Amino acid sequence: HAGTGATNIIPGEAVVDFNFRFSTESTAEGLKARVHEILDRHRLDYELEWVLGGKPFLTPRGRLVQTLERTVAKVAGLAPAISTTGGTSDGRFIIDICPEVVEFGPVNRSIHKVNEAVCLDEIEPLERIYRLACEDLLGVG
């Protein structure tokens, strides 16, 4: 956002909002340093406010992943795909307090769309998978 909306005036300042979604191959500190270097190289007078909304992460293939793979195969007869597709993970908010993070749930064909819905036929197997996985992880059942 810059200026007053008139096309024949050079604005005194510009406000720019941007969002970095970055992998574990980068760091927030490295991205900050790179942005500062670019702005300094062009001798710009600037102020930056940084907010780190979440850090990237990779979950190791440990007990949680193995338990879910085994339980999904047992209940649904499927070999789950271990994937990072699907956009930004809410796991970024808890990765610092959990050694493993896995997002698992119903197929999201309509996620974030009008009339977002889940097929009822998917609820019962999910409940069974969650229950059996928790029992396995807790050593009960």
Side-chain angles (χ1 to χ4, degrees):
H1 174 67
T4 61
T7 58
N8 62 343
I9 297 174
I10 297 173
E13 70 176 21
V15 176
V16 179
D17 292 324
F18 52 92
N19 180 357
F20 291 116
R21 294 187 180 191
F22 57 100
S23 75
T24 55
E25 295 297 312
S26 298
T27 65
E29 294 75 23
L31 291 169
K32 287 179 186 180
R34 189 167 176 202
V35 169
H36 282 286
E37 186 275 322
I38 291 168
L39 296 173
D40 291 343
R41 183 175 359 120
H42 293 284
R43 296 185 181 112
L44 297 174
D45 180 20
Y46 64 91
E47 290 180 34
L48 292 175
E49 293 180 32
W50 294 92
V51 175
L52 180 60
K55 296 187 301 189
F57 67 93
L58 293 172
T59 289
R61 291 184 71 103
R63 186 169 176 226
L64 179 60
V65 172
Q66 293 166 354
T67 298
L68 275 172
E69 284 179 312
R70 194 172 48 252
T71 307
V72 168
K74 179 179 180 179
V75 172
L78 301 169
I82 308 301
S83 170
T84 58
T85 61
T88 302
S89 169
D90 288 341
R92 68 190 188 275
F93 299 117
I94 61 170
I95 192 61
D96 287 336
I97 61 171
C98 297
E100 291 181 74
V101 174
V102 174
E103 291 187 341
F104 173 75
V107 175
N108 61 5
R109 288 179 285 272
S110 64
I111 193 166
H112 304 308
K113 296 179 183 172
V114 174
N115 297 324
E116 182 175 352
V118 174
C119 293
L120 291 177
D121 292 344
E122 295 174 2
I123 301 297
E124 188 175 326
L126 283 174
E127 180 279 329
R128 188 157 179 243
I129 291 167
Y130 287 135
R131 183 173 40 80
L132 292 174
C134 286
E135 289 173 357
D136 186 318
L137 291 165
L138 295 171
V140 297

